[in-house]
Amino acid sequence: MTLSAPIFQLKRRAKLMARDRSIPRHAALDKVAAEEGFASWSLLSSHSTAPQESQKTLHLLSDGDLLLVAGRPGQGKTKLALRLLVDALQEERRAILFTLEFTQQQAWQHIRTISNDNAGTADTLQIITSDAISADYIIQHLSGVERGSVIVIDFLQILDQDRSKAPLSEQILALAEFARTTGVILVFISQIDRSFDPTTKRLPDINDIRLPNDINLGVFTKTCFLHGKEMDFKKVA
């Protein structure tokens, strides 16, 4: 959602409103926020400072982070996650995509589009499409990988689709421990439940993650939810 004016001008508008209507300043700030389409000033303020581009998002990630990127289909979650890989490569970091969703050709097509056909950057990305992808497979493949490497896993809900693999809850705990001990950054693309209704809530949150199997979402250190043109990036408490 685009604001009608810079944040400092909106604050001035609220100050004048508080004076003219003889209402508390916090009430005036909330009224201005409502005019901009936000339920409160705190939500408007967090939106105005939230990263709007994946380049900024990469710099909000720390070694060992587990980032959950989630949204309904077509909202840009995959594009943002893949852009993180391209940005990591441009910073000369190691970047790897584990995908159970794309074919090799589809993944390359997306990456090259995101990198503006910069083959020199895109071609250094490692893309793994094996049906064997699971926590054990990922951990074994990443043995010896450098701290700060960016790894995207596409996507969370099908890691245990094959019943011969460990339950999703066990896989996530194993990957969280691996990230903590090695300092790699793990980015999980995630689906949002169909029950999410954008007419009643602007953005999905942690309670809207589709969970066919119960897992502890508290192991994720950061989340990024997308809908429309908005993005909400935050640390997990």
Side-chain angles (χ1 to χ4, degrees):
M1 184 181 298
T2 303
L3 300 178
S4 65
I7 194 77
F8 74 91
Q9 291 183 7
L10 296 179
K11 287 183 177 180
R12 177 171 174 76
R13 187 193 303 174
K15 182 179 180 180
L16 294 173
M17 181 188 293
R19 184 188 64 189
D20 294 342
R21 300 185 186 182
S22 299
I23 60 175
R25 185 169 178 272
H26 68 82
L29 287 168
D30 284 343
K31 286 183 178 295
V32 169
E35 293 172 357
E36 297 293 320
F38 294 85
S40 68
W41 179 262
S42 61
L43 288 174
L44 182 151
S45 180
S46 63
H47 168 80
S48 69
T49 57
Q52 299 299 312
E53 301 173 1
S54 60
Q55 292 93 327
K56 298 178 182 177
T57 305
L58 180 61
H59 296 149
L60 293 175
L61 297 175
S62 303
D63 293 356
D65 267 342
L66 259 71
L67 172 66
L68 189 66
V69 178
R72 293 288 293 147
Q75 300 305 312
K77 61 183 181 294
T78 301
K79 182 178 180 180
L80 184 143
L82 297 182
R83 180 73 215 185
L84 288 172
L85 293 173
V86 172
D87 293 341
L89 291 171
Q90 290 175 343
E91 294 188 0
E92 299 184 349
R93 303 196 204 186
R94 182 88 174 274
I96 303 173
L97 170 65
F98 290 89
T99 177
L100 288 159
E101 182 74 355
F102 292 139
T103 64
Q104 191 90 10
Q105 183 178 8
Q106 289 171 332
W108 277 123
Q109 183 176 356
H110 284 294
I111 289 294
R112 284 175 174 151
T113 299
I114 290 169
S115 61
N116 297 317
D117 290 323
N118 183 348
T121 296
D123 288 350
T124 59
L125 174 69
Q126 187 174 5
I127 298 175
I128 298 170
T129 60
S130 171
D131 289 337
I133 291 173
S134 65
D136 287 345
Y137 182 97
I138 293 168
I139 290 170
Q140 181 177 3
H141 190 88
L142 296 180
S143 177
V145 74
E146 303 87 352
R147 293 182 65 86
S149 296
V150 179
I151 315 301
V152 169
I153 299 169
D154 177 33
F155 55 91
L156 175 69
Q157 283 80 8
I158 57 175
L159 274 177
D160 66 346
Q161 184 171 257
D162 184 340
R163 295 305 177 187
S164 66
K165 299 176 183 177
L168 185 58
S169 58
E170 294 180 15
Q171 293 193 52
I172 297 304
L173 288 175
L175 288 167
E177 178 62 23
F178 177 77
R180 280 193 295 268
T181 57
T182 63
V184 302
I185 297 169
L186 297 181
V187 179
F188 293 79
I189 300 173
S190 174
Q191 296 177 334
I192 290 295
D193 197 87
R194 294 180 187 177
S195 63
F196 167 67
D197 183 359
T199 64
T200 59
K201 186 165 60 173
R202 290 175 32 253
L203 284 162
D205 57 36
I206 200 78
N207 298 311
D208 296 304
I209 297 295
R210 188 176 76 82
L211 291 178
N213 301 303
D214 189 37
I215 65 172
N216 176 17
L217 295 174
V219 301
F220 290 94
T221 58
K222 290 167 185 171
T223 59
C224 181
F225 292 95
L226 303 100
H227 193 79
K229 295 183 179 180
E230 296 185 66
M231 181 174 82
D232 181 27
F233 182 96
K234 64 178 60 175
K235 293 182 180 180
V236 176

